[in-house]
Amino acid sequence: MRFTETELRGAYVVEPEPRQDMRGFFARLWCEREFAALGLHARVVQVSMSRNLRRGTVRGMHMQLPPSREAKLVSCMRGRIYDVIVDLRPGSPTYLRHFAIELDAERHTALYIPPGMLHGFQTLEDDSEVLYHMSDFHAEHLAFGARWNDPAFGILWPESPQIVILPRDAEYPDFDSDAYLARVAGATARCAAGE
């Protein structure tokens, strides 16, 4: 696999190196040793998928708050998606900046998302399927979300007029950086105190 770090430190584009022959190809999509060698979360505890029936479907923007250390490896197994992450790590030099990449079933490229980043995507084709490898178990009480089109992030989505989205994801209030940082600081302090 080839790992290329994005402008958001710790987030990587991961490209398989397929071996082709007359049958097709074989490619490794995950290797604990290769991820660990880069200092990335190499433990996978959950693998999930989403099937998205219509082009223009948005899932996100979601993440897990501390004490979760959830990292994700996201790939598109069918169709095409516009995958986006937003850096919400307190103290990060790229705080509130985003990175976007098109993932598709032809190239099999994946995006490694470190803890502390919002993640979401928009489908660019009908019947797109997305595969997620996660390094921590989902905890509903640690779930955090922000609106896909929040002006704080400045994301330009390719299919804006044709959005298919859950009301919950469309109705998040405007992102409040001070409130978010206070919430993360409180959770981190409770963790440190053993609560």
Side-chain angles (χ1 to χ4, degrees), residues 118-184:
L118 279 171
H119 171 253
F121 65 84
Q122 183 178 58
T123 58
L124 301 176
E125 293 181 9
D126 291 344
D127 295 319
S128 291
E129 293 181 358
V130 179
L131 187 67
Y132 315 71
H133 291 75
M134 276 103 37
S135 68
D136 202 357
F137 296 102
H138 178 75
E140 189 59 37
H141 67 286
L142 298 176
F144 178 80
R147 204 171 59 253
W148 65 281
N149 62 351
D150 194 303
F153 311 132
I155 301 166
L156 299 176
W157 296 90
E159 301 286 325
S160 293
Q162 305 174 28
I163 299 301
V164 178
I165 191 168
L166 284 179
R168 172 197 71 182
D169 291 339
E171 296 168 1
Y172 285 118
D174 283 353
F175 180 76
D176 180 333
S177 184
D178 292 336
Y180 169 78
L181 291 171
R183 186 171 174 186
V184 171

Side-chain angles (χ1 to χ4, degrees), residues 41-100:
H41 288 266
R43 177 179 176 228
V44 173
V45 299
Q46 287 184 331
V47 178
S48 301
M49 71 172 292
S50 68
R51 179 150 190 237
N52 306 277
L53 301 177
R54 291 181 41 205
R55 176 181 177 163
T57 298
V58 171
R59 289 188 187 254
M61 304 291 290
H62 304 136
M63 66 181 286
Q64 295 277 289
L65 294 172
S68 176
R69 299 290 299 150
E70 180 188 71
K72 296 177 186 173
L73 181 68
V74 177
S75 55
C76 184
M77 303 308 287
R78 181 177 179 179
R80 245 174 359 117
I81 65 169
Y82 186 73
D83 206 43
V84 181
I85 55 177
V86 177
D87 190 350
L88 289 186
R89 298 172 295 183
S92 170
T94 55
Y95 180 70
L96 294 184
R97 285 189 39 206
H98 72 276
F99 172 81

Side-chain angles (χ1 to χ4, degrees), residues 16-27 29 105-106 108:
E17 297 177 298
R19 294 183 180 165
Q20 297 187 339
D21 61 28
M22 63 191 170
R23 300 168 295 175
F25 73 86
F26 178 87
L29 300 178
E106 291 299 313
H108 307 286

